[in-house]
Amino acid sequence: MNLDLAARTSRVEPSATVAISNLASELEAEGVDVVDLSVGEPDFPTPENVVEAGKAAIDAGHTGYTPSTGIPALKEAIVEKLDADGLDHTTDEIIVTPGGKQALYEVFQTAVDDGDEVVLLDPAWVSYEAMAKLAGGSLARVDTAQYDFALEPALDELAEAVSDDTQLLVVNSPANPTGAVYSEAALEGVRDLAVEHDVLVISDEIYKEITYGVEPISLGALDGMGDRTVTLNGFSKAYSMTGWRLGYFAGPQELVSEAGKLHSHSVTCATNFVQHAGVEALRNTDEAVAEMRDAFAERREMLLDLFDDHGLDVPAPDGAFYMMLPVDEDDQSWCEAVIEEAHVATVPGSAFGTPGYARISYAAAEDRLREAVSRLAENEFI
Ligand code: PMP
Ligand code: GLU
């Protein structure tokens, strides 16, 4: 049959982060010892009390559909978390989704029409570009690499990119893939532009619990941003719950209500017992989150020292669990050679819009990180 498929998916490539991680798994299945620093996935088990809450919810029979936008107990816990971050939302301004990715997808589909302009801060996480394109949007990109990934020095360039034609601006702080945490002055600059040009902003705060000595700020808490910010979060990173698939977004009532139609016609609701585990994650995991953060902090220090020993100048990340290594301009070939010859999996910066870098995730055990650096050195990649 001549399949005449929709043009929509032909506009995008498969997720590079997921594809490289799949390749690493394939090599491992063939018996190759790969140090996989590609995918951003905490290497810790989900905190035990969260696992127990999930099991208890299954035992208690929470296995049917839930209200489409989420169970009241979880939405109330989310309202309290947002309130602690200075964000004022009611439960009807929230949709609980199977993962943060689905939340983003719903927001893009609801906010962006064919030809609408979406502004990204590069390097930007791979799926923003794909989601903008799937919604028919066109992209304007502002590069922060020249400023060691800080946003404040790039505000002039951002001012050139944002205009009255801009529909949506995506801000991700702490950022994937750079680990940058944007300063208050930088976010105020974003606010001023968003207000001046009447732009909707997504604030992706999925790494907000993972910072090193700096206080992350919620963009929606700044004056003038409350009614134009969609705040997005998920449970994958902070609570090491990648496979549970749980996330949410909170935003202006009108947008949330429109997105609710898409949500109800696609996923219906997030998994029932997973939402119950999510309540426990939000309410009782301070210690577990702090332990994981401390472990990431140690690994970050260790890696920065090791790279420094090898004369590699790596911008120090203030959050998340990624670093961007400066590599050959042809970063794709560099990453391919590194996985083939050194058996270390990394993601090329060009997948994030910024060639000349490779992203590593240090959500991996310390000995594996050491092993990765020595393999890179032995094979003369650094
Ligand atoms: N936003 C960012 C910046 C991410 O890195 C990820 C990673 N997967 C997500 C959203 C979505 O994560 P998840 O779907 O696992 O909640
Ligand atoms: N966000 C993580 C990453 O960038 C997980 C994979 C993905 O969803 O892209 O590696």
Side-chain angles (χ1 to χ4, degrees):
M1 186 199 163
N2 180 15
L3 288 177
D4 183 19
L5 298 179
R8 200 168 297 117
T9 48
S10 68
R11 292 197 285 261
V12 301
E13 295 297 322
S15 163
T17 46
V18 175
I20 293 161
S21 162
N22 289 348
L23 174 64
S25 305
E26 274 167 37
L27 286 172
E28 272 165 1
E30 288 165 17
V32 180
D33 172 33
V34 179
V35 185
D36 186 2
L37 308 185
S38 64
V39 78
E41 175 163 41
D43 56 319
F44 302 102
T46 303
E48 208 174 311
N49 57 320
V50 176
V51 173
E52 288 309 322
K55 286 183 186 167
I58 295 180
D59 288 342
H62 296 301
T63 52
Y65 293 131
T66 73
S68 180
T69 59
I71 60 171
L74 180 55
K75 292 173 81 177
E76 278 150 25
I78 291 169
V79 165
E80 281 173 36
K81 185 201 159 12
L82 294 171
D83 184 58
D85 289 340
L87 300 162
D88 186 18
H89 283 287
T90 51
T91 49
D92 60 352
E93 292 168 344
I94 291 167
I95 297 183
V96 175
T97 53
K101 254 184 194 171
Q102 174 69 18
L104 275 163
Y105 184 73
E106 292 179 9
V107 177
F108 271 91
Q109 288 293 321
T110 306
V112 178
D113 253 332
D114 276 339
D116 280 351
E117 185 186 271
V118 178
V119 176
L120 299 183
L121 297 168
D122 277 346
W125 175 50
V126 290
S127 292
Y128 299 141
E129 173 181 339
M131 291 201 200
K133 286 182 174 170
L134 286 169
S138 67
L139 286 161
R141 315 187 71 136
V142 174
D143 184 24
T144 65
Q146 56 187 316
Y147 306 115
D148 273 357
F149 312 125
L151 177 55
E152 207 182 331
L155 283 176
D156 285 345
E157 275 118 310
L158 185 61
E160 277 168 35
V162 175
S163 70
D164 290 351
D165 292 334
T166 304
Q167 171 67 10
L168 180 68
L169 168 64
V170 183
V171 176
N172 171 216
S173 172
N176 177 4
T178 64
V181 180
Y182 299 143
S183 65
E184 188 162 4
L187 294 177
E188 283 171 354
V190 170
R191 183 265 318 273
D192 294 347
L193 289 170
V195 170
E196 182 186 342
H197 297 289
D198 201 22
V199 169
L200 179 73
V201 181
I202 291 180
S203 179
D204 180 344
E205 304 187 358
I206 199 162
Y207 296 99
K208 189 152 193 238
E209 305 301 324
I210 309 169
T211 57
Y212 313 107
V214 294
E215 232 359 90
I217 294 163
S218 285
L219 187 53
L222 298 187
D223 275 352
M225 289 306 285
D227 64 347
R228 63 175 67 257
T229 306
V230 178
T231 303
L232 188 136
N233 215 321
F235 293 69
S236 289
K237 317 292 172 171
Y239 313 109
S240 198
M241 291 177 71
T242 47
W244 295 71
R245 311 306 301 130
L246 191 63
Y248 61 89
F249 64 96
Q253 167 71 63
E254 194 187 339
L255 180 145
V256 170
S257 146
E258 286 298 292
K261 296 186 207 165
L262 186 70
H263 186 77
S264 73
H265 283 300
S266 52
V267 295
T268 307
C269 60
T271 305
N272 191 335
F273 48 87
V274 169
Q275 294 187 56
H276 288 270
V279 177
E280 183 70 11
L282 284 182
R283 295 213 183 278
N284 293 313
T285 48
D286 285 357
E287 235 171 82
V289 170
E291 274 171 29
M292 291 190 259
R293 187 190 304 121
D294 289 348
F296 292 137
E298 276 174 29
R299 297 167 185 182
R300 168 187 174 279
E301 283 297 320
M302 182 195 78
L303 276 179
L304 287 172
D305 285 346
L306 286 174
F307 287 128
D308 191 49
D309 291 346
H310 288 283
L312 200 66
D313 188 15
V314 179
D318 286 330
F321 36 64
Y322 306 107
M323 279 181 196
M324 288 289 264
L325 312 184
V327 299
D328 290 354
E329 194 51 29
D330 185 357
D331 55 333
Q332 304 254 18
S333 302
W334 189 91
C335 290
E336 274 165 33
V338 164
I339 196 165
E340 272 164 27
E341 292 164 33
H343 299 150
V344 176
T346 61
V347 185
S350 46
F352 307 97
T354 309
Y357 291 87
R359 186 194 77 173
I360 59 164
S361 158
Y362 51 94
E366 220 171 279
D367 58 328
R368 299 301 281 165
L369 294 169
R370 280 186 191 283
E371 173 69 19
V373 177
S374 45
R375 287 188 195 182
L376 290 178
E378 273 160 29
N379 290 275
E380 297 183 355
F381 287 109
I382 55 173

